[in-house]
Amino acid sequence: MIVTRFAPSPTGFLHLGHAFAALTAFEAARKTGGRFLVRIEDIDTGRCRPEFEDAIFEDLAWLGIAWEEPVRRQSRHFADYENALRKLDAGGLLYPCFCTRKDIADEIARSFAAPHGPAPHESEGPLYPGTCRTLSPETRRLRIAAGESFALRLDVAKAQSQAGRELSFKEKGAGPHGEAGTQIAKPSLLGDVVLARKDMPASYHLAVVTDDALQGVTLVTRGNDLFAATHIQRLLQALFGAATPAYAHHRLILDAEGRKFSKRDAGVTLRHLRGAGVTREAISAMIGQIDHPD
């Protein structure tokens, strides 16, 4: 049975892009008699608001979408992410990184003599150059004891070695460049990603892999802008011994100038459009045909 999910963050009102993503996941489950879940990604408690969460449910119901209860809220499951981090740490796969964003940018700039270095990844930014990976255990201990702020990064090379095999995932959508079919996972494309910070108990990568595994998600439908994230998430699945869902990355809903919609674009939020008398049928016309994974 197919199990899909729509996992918004309650940091603003849903817009047309969210409507397309939610309907894509819902229809994929509905047409096969599967299950459709809603997950609230509110791990960033400083930015999430109850009023936005309420609005998410109102908008989804208005679109004609039904979901299973109870809804999983990340803020109520921090212990799950802590357990996942402990497992990685026990395998020696985490290290503290004391670098600021400026530190990382400066080191990357120093790494290339010519003005044309490798292009940073479009959705992740410049790759972390590994500044803190080689710090000695004693240096790490002293800096932590001194109260320095740090993030926990995944040692991707060591993690790939521990996984011990070539990893792949099935792409049932088109992908950003038409990459349907079996994909070879290349986690090093994203470098040593951050998995947690003091003010954030889990990064997107860690939380989404943990949540999908615990909820039994079998098909992840999401925008093409997250295609590259699948590489590192496939590695985490292998490290946790979790099942690998199929993926169906779909097109993005763009404005007239070819840009992604933002929650700051009040004019394209579902709440605004609904208040202006726009019908569900009109919304469907605006976003176009739903992509159905094969």
Side-chain angles (χ1 to χ4, degrees), residues 171-183 224 227 249:
E171 173 60 41
K172 301 184 74 172
H177 307 296
E179 304 98 331
T182 300
Q183 308 295 311
N224 282 335
F227 181 83
H249 293 88

Side-chain angles (χ1 to χ4, degrees), residues 250-271:
H250 55 70
R251 63 186 173 88
L252 302 176
I253 305 300
L254 306 175
D255 64 17
E257 297 181 4
R259 296 174 301 193
K260 282 197 328 178
F261 287 125
S262 164
K263 291 176 181 177
R264 294 186 296 273
D265 299 329
V268 294
T269 64
L270 299 183
R271 168 163 290 208

Side-chain angles (χ1 to χ4, degrees), residues 168-169 209 212 230 232-245 247:
S168 63
F169 60 92
V209 169
D212 284 346
T230 313
I232 198 72
Q233 290 166 17
R234 179 64 187 92
L235 176 59
L236 289 172
Q237 290 159 0
L239 296 172
F240 295 142
T244 302
Y247 291 84

